[in-house]
Amino acid sequence: MQKSRVVGIAVLAVLALLLAACGGKAEQSSGEDPYGQPQATTAPAAAPASALKLAQSQLGPILTDAQGRTLYGFASDNGGTSSCYDQCAQSWPPLVAQGNPTPGEGMDASLLGLTPRSDGTQQVTYRTWPLYYFSGDQGPGQTKGQGLKGIWWLIGPNGLIKTQASQAGASTGGGGGGGYGSSSGGSGYGG
Protein backbone atom coordinates (compact mmCIF):
# COMPACT_ATOMS: atom_id res chain seq x y z
CA MET A 1 0.00 0.00 0.00
CA GLN A 2 2.82 2.35 0.86
CA LYS A 3 4.29 1.93 -2.63
CA SER A 4 1.05 2.82 -4.45
CA ARG A 5 0.60 5.86 -2.22
CA VAL A 6 4.09 7.17 -3.15
CA VAL A 7 3.37 6.58 -6.87
CA GLY A 8 0.05 8.43 -6.56
CA ILE A 9 1.71 11.43 -4.90
CA ALA A 10 4.41 11.47 -7.58
CA VAL A 11 1.79 11.43 -10.36
CA LEU A 12 -0.10 14.30 -8.72
CA ALA A 13 3.13 16.31 -8.40
CA VAL A 14 3.93 15.81 -12.10
CA LEU A 15 0.37 16.83 -13.10
CA ALA A 16 0.59 19.96 -10.94
CA LEU A 17 3.87 20.94 -12.62
CA LEU A 18 2.39 20.39 -16.09
CA LEU A 19 -0.67 22.49 -15.29
CA ALA A 20 1.49 25.31 -13.90
CA ALA A 21 3.67 25.28 -17.02
CA CYS A 22 0.65 25.43 -19.36
CA GLY A 23 -0.87 28.33 -17.42
CA GLY A 24 2.36 30.34 -17.66
CA LYS A 25 2.54 29.94 -21.43
CA ALA A 26 -1.02 31.11 -21.96
CA GLU A 27 -0.40 34.29 -19.95
CA GLN A 28 2.83 35.03 -21.82
CA SER A 29 1.32 34.74 -25.32
CA SER A 30 -1.69 36.92 -24.52
CA GLY A 31 0.65 39.66 -23.26
CA GLU A 32 2.84 39.54 -26.38
CA ASP A 33 0.02 40.16 -28.85
CA PRO A 34 -2.33 42.83 -27.44
CA TYR A 35 -4.13 43.50 -30.75
CA GLY A 36 -4.82 39.90 -31.79
CA GLN A 37 -2.81 40.32 -34.99
CA PRO A 38 -0.72 37.60 -36.65
CA GLN A 39 2.75 37.39 -35.11
CA ALA A 40 4.30 38.87 -38.28
CA THR A 41 2.47 42.16 -37.71
CA THR A 42 3.54 42.82 -34.14
CA ALA A 43 6.87 44.11 -32.93
CA PRO A 44 9.29 41.21 -32.37
CA ALA A 45 10.20 40.41 -28.77
CA ALA A 46 13.87 39.78 -29.63
CA ALA A 47 14.70 43.40 -30.55
CA PRO A 48 13.56 46.76 -29.24
CA ALA A 49 10.45 47.84 -31.14
CA SER A 50 11.87 51.34 -31.38
CA ALA A 51 15.04 50.38 -33.31
CA LEU A 52 14.53 51.68 -36.85
CA LYS A 53 16.36 51.39 -40.15
CA LEU A 54 15.98 52.26 -43.82
CA ALA A 55 15.18 49.64 -46.45
CA GLN A 56 14.89 49.89 -50.22
CA SER A 57 11.45 49.69 -51.86
CA GLN A 58 10.02 50.37 -55.31
CA LEU A 59 9.66 53.99 -54.18
CA GLY A 60 13.18 54.32 -52.80
CA PRO A 61 14.31 54.15 -49.16
CA ILE A 62 11.58 53.74 -46.52
CA LEU A 63 11.41 53.38 -42.74
CA THR A 64 11.24 49.89 -41.27
CA ASP A 65 11.78 48.30 -37.90
CA ALA A 66 15.03 46.47 -37.10
CA GLN A 67 13.69 43.29 -38.78
CA GLY A 68 12.82 45.12 -42.02
CA ARG A 69 9.06 45.25 -41.47
CA THR A 70 7.54 48.33 -43.11
CA LEU A 71 6.31 51.29 -41.07
CA TYR A 72 3.56 53.68 -42.20
CA GLY A 73 2.20 57.16 -41.50
CA PHE A 74 -1.54 57.90 -41.21
CA ALA A 75 -2.73 61.06 -42.99
CA SER A 76 -5.45 61.62 -40.36
CA ASP A 77 -2.84 62.03 -37.61
CA ASN A 78 -2.24 65.68 -36.86
CA GLY A 79 0.61 67.43 -35.06
CA GLY A 80 2.38 64.22 -34.03
CA THR A 81 -0.66 62.79 -32.20
CA SER A 82 -2.12 59.39 -33.07
CA SER A 83 -5.78 59.17 -34.04
CA CYS A 84 -5.69 55.40 -34.71
CA TYR A 85 -7.31 53.42 -31.86
CA ASP A 86 -9.67 50.47 -31.32
CA GLN A 87 -10.55 48.82 -34.67
CA CYS A 88 -8.02 50.99 -36.52
CA ALA A 89 -5.20 49.85 -34.21
CA GLN A 90 -6.12 46.21 -34.84
CA SER A 91 -5.41 46.64 -38.55
CA TRP A 92 -2.62 49.20 -38.02
CA PRO A 93 -0.76 48.32 -34.78
CA PRO A 94 1.29 51.26 -33.48
CA LEU A 95 5.06 51.03 -33.10
CA VAL A 96 5.25 51.29 -29.32
CA ALA A 97 8.55 52.40 -27.77
CA GLN A 98 10.61 50.02 -25.69
CA GLY A 99 13.23 52.49 -24.50
CA ASN A 100 14.54 55.43 -26.49
CA PRO A 101 14.10 55.17 -30.28
CA THR A 102 17.34 54.49 -32.14
CA PRO A 103 17.92 55.58 -35.76
CA GLY A 104 19.49 53.43 -38.43
CA GLU A 105 22.13 54.51 -40.92
CA GLY A 106 20.88 57.34 -43.15
CA MET A 107 18.19 58.46 -40.71
CA ASP A 108 18.10 61.84 -38.95
CA ALA A 109 18.14 61.19 -35.18
CA SER A 110 16.64 64.64 -34.54
CA LEU A 111 13.44 63.52 -36.33
CA LEU A 112 12.82 60.62 -33.92
CA GLY A 113 10.40 61.19 -31.09
CA LEU A 114 7.60 59.79 -28.95
CA THR A 115 3.93 60.63 -28.58
CA PRO A 116 1.70 59.43 -25.75
CA ARG A 117 -1.17 57.03 -26.46
CA SER A 118 -4.39 56.85 -24.47
CA ASP A 119 -3.33 53.51 -22.92
CA GLY A 120 -0.25 55.13 -21.35
CA THR A 121 2.30 53.72 -23.81
CA GLN A 122 4.58 55.86 -25.98
CA GLN A 123 4.35 55.56 -29.78
CA VAL A 124 7.46 56.16 -31.87
CA THR A 125 7.29 59.12 -34.28
CA TYR A 126 9.48 60.19 -37.18
CA ARG A 127 9.28 63.89 -38.07
CA THR A 128 5.77 64.28 -36.70
CA TRP A 129 4.35 60.99 -38.00
CA PRO A 130 3.30 58.37 -35.43
CA LEU A 131 4.50 55.06 -36.91
CA TYR A 132 2.36 51.96 -37.56
CA TYR A 133 2.63 48.43 -38.93
CA PHE A 134 0.01 47.08 -41.37
CA SER A 135 -1.60 43.75 -40.45
CA GLY A 136 -1.73 42.82 -44.15
CA ASP A 137 2.08 42.83 -44.41
CA GLN A 138 3.09 39.29 -43.50
CA GLY A 139 6.84 39.81 -43.40
CA PRO A 140 9.84 42.04 -44.08
CA GLY A 141 9.84 44.01 -47.32
CA GLN A 142 6.08 43.95 -47.90
CA THR A 143 4.34 47.28 -48.54
CA LYS A 144 0.71 46.22 -49.06
CA GLY A 145 -0.54 49.16 -46.97
CA GLN A 146 0.98 51.83 -49.23
CA GLY A 147 -1.71 54.25 -50.41
CA LEU A 148 -4.63 52.31 -48.90
CA LYS A 149 -7.76 54.45 -48.91
CA GLY A 150 -5.49 57.36 -49.85
CA ILE A 151 -4.53 57.85 -46.18
CA TRP A 152 -1.77 55.30 -45.33
CA TRP A 153 1.71 56.04 -46.64
CA LEU A 154 5.31 54.89 -46.50
CA ILE A 155 7.75 57.27 -44.80
CA GLY A 156 11.04 58.32 -46.41
CA PRO A 157 14.38 59.06 -44.70
CA ASN A 158 13.53 62.78 -44.64
CA GLY A 159 10.41 62.07 -42.56
CA LEU A 160 7.96 62.90 -45.34
CA ILE A 161 5.32 60.50 -46.58
CA LYS A 162 5.55 58.96 -50.04
CA THR A 163 2.31 59.76 -51.82
CA GLN A 164 2.71 57.34 -54.72
CA ALA A 165 0.98 54.01 -55.19
CA SER A 166 2.96 50.81 -54.69
CA GLN A 167 3.68 50.36 -58.39
CA ALA A 168 6.71 52.37 -59.48
CA GLY A 169 5.67 55.43 -61.46
CA ALA A 170 1.99 55.45 -60.39
CA SER A 171 1.05 58.58 -58.48
CA THR A 172 -1.93 59.40 -56.26
CA GLY A 173 -1.22 63.07 -55.85
CA GLY A 174 0.97 66.00 -56.68
CA GLY A 175 3.30 65.60 -53.72
CA GLY A 176 6.36 66.22 -55.89
CA GLY A 177 9.87 65.66 -54.63
CA GLY A 178 10.16 62.16 -56.07
CA GLY A 179 6.99 60.96 -54.39
CA TYR A 180 7.57 62.60 -51.03
CA GLY A 181 4.88 64.75 -49.48
CA SER A 182 5.38 68.43 -48.96
CA SER A 183 6.35 69.65 -45.50
CA SER A 184 4.43 72.90 -45.79
CA GLY A 185 1.70 73.29 -43.23
CA GLY A 186 3.59 71.16 -40.75
CA SER A 187 2.00 67.79 -41.49
CA GLY A 188 4.23 66.50 -44.28
CA TYR A 189 1.16 65.28 -46.20
CA GLY A 190 1.45 66.13 -49.87
CA GLY A 191 -1.73 64.79 -51.41
Side-chain angles (χ1 to χ4, degrees):
M1 273 268 225
Q2 183 72 2
K3 187 177 181 182
S4 64
R5 188 177 212 188
V6 170
V7 170
I9 291 173
V11 168
L12 287 175
V14 168
L15 286 174
L17 287 172
L18 287 174
L19 287 174
C22 289
K25 287 182 182 178
E27 289 174 20
Q28 181 182 11
S29 66
S30 67
E32 290 175 0
D33 190 7
Y35 298 110
Q37 297 298 320
Q39 199 66 324
T41 63
T42 58
S50 47
L52 304 178
K53 70 176 190 174
L54 293 175
Q56 285 300 317
S57 76
Q58 291 179 340
L59 298 176
I62 58 169
L63 263 61
T64 70
D65 69 5
Q67 279 64 48
R69 293 189 357 243
T70 304
L71 296 168
Y72 297 87
F74 182 33
S76 295
D77 287 346
N78 193 7
T81 302
S82 175
S83 61
C84 182
Y85 289 94
D86 303 320
Q87 188 68 29
C88 176
Q90 290 180 22
S91 295
W92 299 89
L95 175 64
V96 177
Q98 295 176 2
N100 290 327
T102 56
E105 185 177 332
M107 294 179 63
D108 184 343
S110 70
L111 298 180
L112 274 173
L114 299 172
T115 189
R117 293 187 58 79
S118 63
D119 63 3
T121 60
Q122 295 285 316
Q123 186 171 356
V124 179
T125 63
Y126 195 69
R127 201 164 194 140
T128 58
W129 294 106
L131 300 176
Y132 304 89
Y133 294 102
F134 175 50
S135 62
D137 289 344
Q138 296 301 307
Q142 292 188 350
T143 59
K144 294 178 182 178
Q146 170 63 0
L148 276 181
K149 298 188 179 187
I151 55 176
W152 291 98
W153 305 102
L154 301 170
I155 309 260
N158 58 0
L160 301 178
I161 59 173
K162 296 187 174 229
T163 57
Q164 291 183 341
S166 291
Q167 294 82 20
S171 177
T172 61
Y180 292 94
S182 164
S183 63
S184 62
S187 71
Y189 179 65

